[in-house]
Amino acid sequence: MKRKTAHLGMFLALALICSYVESLIPFYFGIPGVKLGLTNIVVVLTLFCMGAKEAFCISVLRILLAGFLFGNPFSILYSLGGGVLSFLVMWFLKYTGKLKVISVSVAGGMFHNIGQLFVASVVVENYNLFYYAPVLLLAGFVTGFLIGILAQELIVRLKDYF
């Protein structure tokens, strides 16, 4: 039990560090809301190495803590919308056993953007924001693919640790 708690604490600390580093990177393609999604590496690792409950806890705690430390109430709201939808899709796809790490990560990146877009359209009461979906889906695909490659490599290298 102590070892599992230590792993969760380490993953949460890594997720917060990734959030902080990501907030420092001037990553801007002229598309508002597009981010690298570095913290998704930690969520994917936790999902594949420890389990769904642990990954969900890491995801939600990271969103709340990073929002309070580096963001604002709206960033928490948007991140929760995207993070919870992303996690649910990744969990379901992993649970089916038909997809590997990269595919699960790609779906997570895409659905994170869909969740944030849905929250934004509800907050501003304008569903025309969904015209922006193709751009966000492409960005989610690319970043999810890159994060998936990194996560897969880390899982292979850390398999003996878990």
Side-chain angles (χ1 to χ4, degrees), residues 97-113:
K98 297 181 189 235
L99 296 176
K100 302 292 181 199
V101 176
I102 295 174
S103 302
V104 169
S105 178
V106 166
M110 293 172 73
F111 276 91
H112 191 280
N113 288 343

Side-chain angles (χ1 to χ4, degrees), residues 9 20 62 65 95 114 125-126 159:
Y20 180 66
R62 193 270 317 160
L65 291 172
Y95 179 76
I114 294 288
E125 297 178 357
N126 185 350
K159 68 180 175 190

Side-chain angles (χ1 to χ4, degrees), residues 55-127:
F56 184 74
C57 288
I58 294 295
S59 182
V60 171
L61 285 172
R62 193 270 317 160
I63 289 167
L64 293 173
L65 291 172
F68 288 124
L69 292 170
F70 320 122
N72 58 53
F74 282 107
S75 68
I76 295 172
L77 181 65
Y78 292 129
S79 292
L80 274 176
V84 169
L85 181 60
S86 171
F87 173 79
L88 291 173
V89 168
M90 289 192 301
W91 169 77
F92 176 75
L93 293 175
K94 181 191 177 283
Y95 179 76
T96 65
K98 297 181 189 235
L99 296 176
K100 302 292 181 199
V101 176
I102 295 174
S103 302
V104 169
S105 178
V106 166
M110 293 172 73
F111 276 91
H112 191 280
N113 288 343
I114 294 288
Q116 286 188 327
L117 194 57
F118 179 75
V119 170
S121 65
V122 169
V123 168
V124 299
E125 297 178 357
N126 185 350
Y127 294 97

Side-chain angles (χ1 to χ4, degrees), residues 11-27 35-40 42 62-63 65-71:
F11 278 133
L12 181 57
L14 285 171
L16 286 170
I17 290 168
C18 287
S19 287
Y20 180 66
V21 167
E22 191 169 36
S23 73
L24 297 176
I25 297 173
F27 181 76
K35 293 167 74 173
L36 288 173
L38 292 176
T39 56
N40 201 39
V42 179
R62 193 270 317 160
I63 289 167
L65 291 172
F68 288 124
L69 292 170
F70 320 122

